Amino acid sequence: MAAASSYPSFRFFLLLSTALFVSGEATSLLPLGNLATLSFEEGYTQLFGDSNLMLHGDGRTVHLSLDQRTGAGFASQDLYLHGFFSASIKLPSDYAAGVVVAFYLSNGDLFEKTHDEVDFEFLGNIRGREWRVQTNVYGNGSTAVGREERYGLWFDPTEDFHQYSILWSHQRIIFYVDNIAIREVVRTEAMGGEFPSKPMSLYATIWDGSTWATLGGRYKVNYKYAPYVAKLTDLVLHGCSVNPMFLDGNTMDHRTLCHGSDVAAYDSIRSSTTDERTAMAMFRRKHMTYSYCHDRVRYPSPPDECAIGPEAKNFLPSGEAKFKYRSSRGRRNGLSSLGAAVL
């Protein structure tokens, strides 16, 4: 079973993992290069898709395909209570409307009505329009409150692999794209039990989201362009493995294989310095295209955890940004003016 809960160098590299700012540009040090990546057999198991899941490179690269017959998906062999989870992903190119690629944590198979979930969802589009990235968080079955945010990207995610990471601790959840923090969800009293707090598995899937993924279902998957292939590599599972002993039908023994120092290390990671928060705010101002906190159609009164500030003027009542992001793919360094908020 894959765990990776106590690599000796982990705490050392956490201390080194800060952002260095030179002339307004950022050089980031992330522990990813020092965290062991796992082969498929070491850490994962196939969920569905039979031959639509294929292994390459000694099992360290996974191809997930969607065709008219089926999609594909896999999950971690272990459950985790907090950790750092990462993959480098290359998305399908050409016409990809209706296609959904997901990289996420969930325990829906164990807690059907009270499940937790932390999502990266990649939403395909018609030719000439870009993939969108959506993040979401559910806790304790709070699916009636969708905490979606969507973003444009400063690169073409179909041309090369890019790293997508989730840090989940007792106090916060941070989403990263290429080592840059794009969203931080802090556990607050206002969220109550809706902050994910039960052990979860890591999943990766590709599937047909024609009913909603592209402009609310206006554009659907066109299987003339199938198979759609998502490629994943550099898979990292660095978390606190859980002994899945059921105490009764609804409760789980949350004892983990983590040491106290490991738990403290996860909790110590945050985007709290002035430079890091400025960097994250700049990313969100430039690249966010939708925020549930500003969606007055769904939520006439913002959910309790939403702190509405001056940025509200940048959003329509639908939650969509007034000023759509324009891709800067032509620039080699699309974030040259953006400081990186990193682990």
Side-chain angles (χ1 to χ4, degrees), residues 96-100 122-125 132 134 150 207-219 221:
V99 177
V100 179
F122 306 93
L123 311 179
N125 218 325
R132 290 148 303 143
Q134 177 167 288
R150 287 192 291 274
W207 50 284
D208 186 329
S210 290
T211 58
W212 66 276
T214 307
L215 290 181
R218 178 180 177 185
Y219 297 104
V221 174

Side-chain angles (χ1 to χ4, degrees), residues 22-333:
V22 181
S23 302
E25 296 190 11
T27 302
S28 60
L29 293 173
L30 253 151
L32 179 62
N34 305 291
L35 297 183
T37 59
L38 298 175
S39 69
F40 189 85
E41 285 77 10
E42 289 174 314
Y44 303 91
T45 185
Q46 183 169 359
L47 290 177
F48 68 100
D50 49 75
S51 61
N52 279 20
L53 185 153
M54 298 188 66
L55 303 180
H56 299 265
D58 296 327
R60 293 186 175 274
T61 297
V62 187
H63 289 188
L64 299 178
S65 299
L66 170 68
D67 56 29
Q68 200 156 11
R69 185 178 58 89
T70 184
F74 64 86
S76 61
Q77 295 172 12
D78 287 350
L79 288 160
Y80 297 89
L81 186 61
H82 309 138
F84 180 72
F85 310 92
S86 183
S88 292
I89 303 173
K90 183 178 180 181
L91 297 172
S93 59
D94 207 347
Y95 182 100
V99 177
V100 179
V101 176
F103 179 73
Y104 64 106
L105 297 161
S106 180
N107 50 32
D109 55 337
L110 297 175
F111 303 96
E112 183 178 352
K113 296 182 179 180
T114 60
H115 89 286
D116 306 291
E117 195 165 311
V118 180
D119 297 330
F120 261 119
E121 292 178 308
F122 306 93
L123 311 179
N125 218 325
I126 61 176
R127 185 183 291 113
R129 295 190 183 180
E130 301 160 347
W131 281 79
R132 290 148 303 143
V133 178
Q134 177 167 288
T135 61
N136 206 346
V137 173
Y138 294 112
N140 201 35
S142 57
T143 55
V145 180
R147 294 180 168 87
E148 299 97 334
E149 290 185 355
R150 287 192 291 274
Y151 324 90
L153 295 171
W154 62 95
F155 53 80
D156 185 341
T158 73
E159 289 184 347
D160 205 349
F161 288 91
H162 291 270
Q163 178 193 347
Y164 305 91
S165 309
I166 298 169
L167 170 78
W168 172 40
S169 75
H170 178 73
Q171 295 295 335
R172 69 197 69 245
I173 296 164
I174 306 178
F175 296 88
Y176 298 88
V177 176
D178 282 346
N179 305 349
I180 296 169
I182 65 169
R183 181 182 185 182
E184 181 177 22
V185 179
V186 179
R187 185 177 196 141
T188 63
E189 186 176 345
M191 287 190 73
E194 296 185 4
F195 186 91
S197 58
K198 296 187 292 294
M200 294 188 279
S201 299
L202 181 72
Y203 294 84
T205 57
I206 186 170
W207 50 284
D208 186 329
S210 290
T211 58
W212 66 276
T214 307
L215 290 181
R218 178 180 177 185
Y219 297 104
K220 305 182 186 306
V221 174
N222 187 338
Y223 286 103
K224 178 178 73 173
Y225 301 100
Y228 298 96
V229 181
K231 303 176 182 179
L232 298 89
T233 192
D234 296 332
L235 299 167
V236 173
L237 288 173
H238 196 292
C240 302
S241 296
V242 169
N243 180 3
M245 294 172 54
F246 286 95
L247 302 179
D248 57 47
N250 299 306
T251 314
M252 177 177 283
D253 181 352
H254 289 187
R255 287 176 294 178
T256 76
L257 303 183
C258 262
H259 300 292
S261 59
D262 294 318
V263 176
Y266 292 126
D267 279 336
S268 70
I269 303 171
R270 63 193 69 195
S271 297
S272 58
T273 69
T274 300
D275 284 338
E276 289 168 342
R277 290 209 172 276
T278 299
M280 189 186 301
M282 187 181 299
F283 169 87
R284 294 168 67 79
R285 186 168 62 251
K286 286 186 174 182
H287 300 281
M288 185 184 294
T289 60
Y290 171 83
S291 169
Y292 78 102
C293 282
H294 300 293
D295 190 336
R296 294 296 156 268
V297 177
R298 293 171 66 190
Y299 308 115
S301 297
D304 290 341
E305 74 272 10
C306 292
I308 306 301
E311 78 285 350
K313 67 179 182 299
N314 299 325
F315 292 87
L316 299 169
S318 64
E320 300 288 337
K322 291 180 179 178
F323 305 102
K324 294 297 184 182
Y325 166 71
R326 287 189 176 184
S327 172
S328 54
R329 291 176 182 174
R331 296 162 53 193
R332 284 187 175 271
N333 186 4

